[in-house]
Amino acid sequence: MTRQTLFAANALLPDGWAENVRLEVDADGNLDQITRGAAAGAATRLAGPVLPGMPNLHSHAFQRAMAGLAEHVAPGSSGDDSFWTWREVMYRFVGALTPEQVQAIAAQLYVEMLKAGYTAVGEFHYLHHGPDGRPYDDIAEMSRRTIAAAGASGIGITQLPVLYSYGGFGAEKAGEGQRRFLNDPNRLLRIVEVLKDSHEDDPQVRIGLAPHSLRAVTLETLDEVVAGLTGLDPAAPIHLHIAEQVKEVEDCLACSGRRPVEWLLENHAPDRRWCLIHATHMSEAETKGLAASGAVAGLCPTTEANLGDGLFPAVDFLAAGGAWGIGSDSHISVSPIEELRWLEYGERLARRKRNVLAGEGADASLGHRLYSDALAGGAQALGRPIGALQVGRRADFVVLDPAAPVLSEMPAARLLDAMIFAGNRNPVRDVMVGGEWLVCEGSHRDERKVLEDYRAVLRTLLS
Ligand code: NGQ
Ligand code: ZN
């Protein structure tokens, strides 16, 4: 890659919108100089307002291919569908997926993410083994597939191989539908190690780890795997699903006498390395405790709505200064706009108020607050230098379409409000990741071929 000099009439810098900004990108794809009030000179002029690309901190890539297939009443469920019946559908779907299919699905998903303005993904990856539960010859085969899809599409990836050992609280035996997921801490750490070796020098890849949920591990295996990861990389991200469903809270209470977040805070002191996915059901004390811990709350509002989880206590968590970011999780929607919009709309509907998450300041832009919080939390959770137009970070950014009707004549201070709350058309025009242009005028460089492969996979899966 050669050095690039770019010029934006408007760019969202860490302290807000700035005019006439020159962005210099070095040969490694990092921002190495940013000048406000600059002259365009010979720089490449960007077509519209420029935003840092959004990190997508929670993805189960394979689920993209089942989006829409669980939106009818499941036979035999007597109309009483829930998260738990959806999970059965998902387990059946996952039963026969091959590594090639997973790669093709992930490639399609990552292209869609880039076109929507996500420039990095946290892949919470638990589909490790063959359909009979036996590991592939290469223990990290499946993880390599999502990393390869990310590499080909150009999106940055934090691969989080998942520790899944049990079927429920109290070391309950895992079920048939979970056999492709299972590892003990040793084997999981081996996956982490081989992936780290393969991607040591790649600035687009970070390796962390994810205990699936408190349902799938015990205190001992959680300790063991976290200690092992810390030995390999003391700052590596650790993600964990927590307190998503009421039944999960009840089972945790029955087993340990503690609620899930309470249990984790007491037994494992999560810190800034941690990202707690969902954390939907928290008491006031848990909400304050999680905010104070420095861990990121990984919110996935469209999936949480789709699965009937409940509402995350966003008002209290934000008031307590908690860090948070967004993920598209099951990918029934792949749009940072929709995640941020529904985080706010959930609160409006529940409270019958408006501009609920805007925070302090009479003229505060709600859109700006949501977008910048999610950038910071997302970057922290993915453990990569992303999420800001700032020297030393990756050159990951999105150029908005100046011709998008909802953005017309909008002053910079209202751009993010309009983008998030006032339209359905994707306003992303161009996307650069790590100094490479991946999306130009709304199209990804490989989208045709990627879609063709994805269609072929779906034909097989649905026949
Ligand atoms: C997952 N997804 O691992 O894909 C989960 C469902 C579970 C979400 N929680 C399975 N959204 O939690 O057991
Ligand atoms: Zn998840």
Side-chain angles (χ1 to χ4, degrees):
M1 225 186 303
T2 56
R3 242 192 117 68
Q4 302 172 72
T5 305
L6 310 166
F7 178 85
N10 287 289
L12 186 67
L13 300 186
D15 60 351
W17 285 100
E19 290 182 4
N20 301 324
V21 179
R22 193 167 62 216
L23 301 160
E24 299 192 37
V25 181
D26 71 18
D28 299 321
N30 298 312
L31 287 162
D32 78 346
Q33 208 174 316
I34 298 175
T35 317
R36 303 155 194 256
T44 305
R45 279 175 177 272
L46 302 174
V50 177
L51 303 173
M54 182 59 71
N56 183 337
L57 59 65
H58 191 65
S59 162
H60 307 291
F62 71 86
Q63 289 177 15
R64 180 58 178 152
M66 66 169 279
L69 293 176
E71 307 301 329
H72 58 278
V73 175
S77 74
S78 61
D80 203 16
D81 274 10
S82 68
F83 174 92
W84 307 101
T85 58
W86 168 85
R87 197 171 77 151
E88 289 305 318
V89 177
M90 189 267 280
Y91 285 173
R92 278 198 297 279
F93 183 78
V94 96
L97 289 177
T98 66
E100 294 75 19
Q101 289 171 336
V102 166
Q103 184 169 343
I105 296 166
Q108 171 63 25
L109 171 67
Y110 297 158
V111 164
E112 289 178 53
M113 283 188 190
L114 287 162
K115 291 172 70 169
Y118 286 122
T119 48
V121 62
E123 189 55 47
F124 195 109
H125 178 87
Y126 55 85
L127 184 57
H128 297 295
H129 309 309
D132 57 0
R134 257 184 303 172
Y136 291 103
D137 291 345
D138 174 357
I139 184 90
E141 170 78 36
M142 278 293 201
S143 271
R144 294 200 196 280
R145 297 299 182 145
T146 55
I147 295 173
S153 74
I155 200 167
I157 190 167
T158 297
Q159 180 75 10
L160 303 157
V162 169
L163 177 65
Y164 206 115
S165 303
Y166 305 104
F169 286 101
E172 190 185 295
K173 193 171 161 5
E176 281 264 291
Q178 297 163 332
R179 64 188 163 189
R180 302 190 72 177
F181 317 159
L182 304 178
N183 283 304
D184 61 16
N186 260 327
R187 199 158 75 178
L188 198 268
L189 287 167
R190 206 146 27 92
I191 296 177
V192 171
E193 218 168 332
V194 301
L195 293 176
K196 274 184 63 58
D197 281 349
S198 302
H199 299 281
E200 204 64 80
D201 300 319
D202 188 344
Q204 290 299 101
V205 180
R206 180 89 196 245
I207 310 298
L209 160 165
H212 180 273
S213 53
L214 298 183
R215 292 174 265 129
V217 299
T218 57
L219 178 58
E220 294 71 38
T221 52
L222 182 60
D223 282 340
E224 196 179 333
V225 88
V226 169
L229 179 70
T230 306
L232 295 170
D233 177 354
I238 304 163
H239 290 214
L240 166 79
H241 288 126
I242 200 159
E244 181 179 11
Q245 283 277 318
V246 170
K247 178 180 184 303
E248 185 178 7
V249 177
E250 289 167 355
D251 290 355
C252 188
L253 271 167
C255 171
S256 69
R258 295 285 182 276
R259 302 166 55 83
V261 173
E262 182 185 26
W263 185 92
L264 191 75
L265 290 170
E266 265 183 40
N267 289 287
H268 219 98
D271 59 16
R272 290 179 50 85
R273 296 170 69 188
W274 288 70
C275 178
L276 272 51
I277 307 297
H278 309 306
T280 311
H281 299 287
M282 294 194 287
S283 67
E284 239 181 89
E286 288 176 301
T287 305
K288 289 209 173 95
L290 177 57
S293 75
V296 175
L299 309 178
C300 311
T302 63
T303 292
E304 288 155 15
N306 185 274
L307 296 179
D309 290 341
L311 277 179
F312 174 81
V315 172
D316 293 343
F317 187 75
L318 268 62
W324 61 276
I326 51 169
S328 60
D329 192 344
S330 67
H331 315 302
I332 39 77
S333 168
V334 182
S335 157
I337 291 174
E338 223 190 343
E339 301 306 333
L340 296 174
R341 182 186 290 181
W342 279 100
L343 184 65
E344 165 72 17
Y345 278 179
E347 296 298 329
R348 291 193 191 186
L349 289 164
R351 288 164 192 263
R352 302 180 207 144
K353 299 248 187 224
R354 300 190 72 251
N355 296 324
V356 181
L357 298 173
E360 307 288 298
D363 196 31
S365 155
L366 171 58
H368 183 258
R369 205 273 158 99
L370 295 173
Y371 199 86
S372 43
D373 274 21
L375 284 175
Q380 181 184 325
L382 297 189
R384 298 185 50 240
I386 53 175
L389 299 179
Q390 198 175 315
V391 170
R393 307 272 179 128
R394 303 294 290 155
D396 288 7
F397 57 79
V398 162
V399 182
L400 298 179
D401 183 359
V406 293
L407 305 182
S408 309
E409 304 303 315
M410 214 35 90
R414 294 285 163 252
L415 262 180
L416 287 162
D417 295 338
M419 179 180 95
I420 294 171
F421 293 102
N424 294 306
R425 208 186 98 182
N426 178 12
V428 173
R429 185 184 193 272
D430 310 306
V431 179
M432 174 177 273
V433 178
E436 269 193 80
W437 286 113
L438 302 175
V439 175
C440 292
E441 295 182 44
S443 298
H444 183 277
R445 59 183 187 190
D446 296 331
E447 64 180 50
R448 280 160 169 250
K449 172 78 177 98
V450 166
L451 180 59
E452 227 173 81
D453 293 350
Y454 178 72
R455 284 221 168 102
V457 167
L458 277 186
R459 256 195 310 276
T460 311
L461 292 175
L462 298 182
S463 66

